[in-house]
Amino acid sequence: MIIKQIKLSQQEKEKLIRLKAKTGIPHWNVLCRWALCYSLANPAIPHGPDIPSDSNVEMSWLTFGGDCHEIYDALVRQRYIMDASESNASLSHYFRLHLNRGINFLSSKNGPKNCLELLTIISSHN
């Protein structure tokens, strides 16, 4: 597993609260999975400083990934290998950068306004 515990930043938590209200998806881990997949579909390499873990939203890797945790692990590891020459981040930091980028997009003004738009956005990147 890439990271044992995932603890979101306060900013990520607030963005996900708004996204939960827009989409009606009640679970943090489900929204985080969509955010990760959205970011992984973006060919640009995410960069940035460490992301604070200053909220009370925390989940284990198994909760994050659910029954497909091994698939999410493999997807992130594959992308990490592909981007290794241009990224100096550790694997866990690289994962957090992708998760953060996905949360930022999905909660932006260009992000989904409801669950149907979320599915449309996600399916258009496959």
Side-chain angles (χ1 to χ4, degrees):
M1 93 184 51
I2 294 170
I3 187 169
K4 190 172 182 177
Q5 288 292 118
I6 302 161
K7 190 169 183 178
L8 301 178
S9 71
Q10 186 63 32
Q11 188 177 41
E12 291 171 325
K13 176 186 172 182
E14 291 167 8
K15 289 177 178 181
L16 287 175
I17 287 171
R18 289 192 297 275
L19 191 58
K20 287 169 79 171
K22 288 180 184 176
T23 63
I25 297 173
H27 302 290
W28 305 106
N29 59 330
V30 173
L31 291 172
C32 286
R33 289 178 202 160
W34 285 117
L36 175 66
C37 289
Y38 183 83
S39 181
L40 288 173
N42 181 337
I45 299 171
H47 296 281
D50 286 342
I51 299 159
S53 300
D54 56 353
S55 79
N56 60 355
V57 177
E58 187 172 14
M59 65 190 94
S60 71
W61 178 260
L62 297 178
T63 298
F64 169 81
D67 291 341
C68 297
H69 67 93
E70 292 174 337
I71 293 172
Y72 292 109
D73 187 285
L75 289 171
V76 173
R77 288 180 189 276
Q78 179 62 37
R79 179 68 191 269
Y80 182 72
I81 291 168
M82 292 169 49
D83 294 344
S85 64
E86 297 181 42
S87 175
N88 295 326
S90 67
L91 181 59
S92 61
H93 181 61
Y94 183 78
F95 163 75
R96 286 293 286 123
L97 290 172
H98 270 290
L99 180 59
N100 184 265
R101 180 169 74 177
I103 291 170
N104 285 336
F105 173 76
L106 293 180
S107 64
S108 72
K109 70 177 187 178
N110 295 326
K113 307 291 184 276
N114 54 49
C115 195
L116 182 58
E117 282 189 24
L118 174 64
L119 293 174
T120 301
I121 289 169
I122 297 299
S123 64
S124 69
H125 283 79
N126 292 328

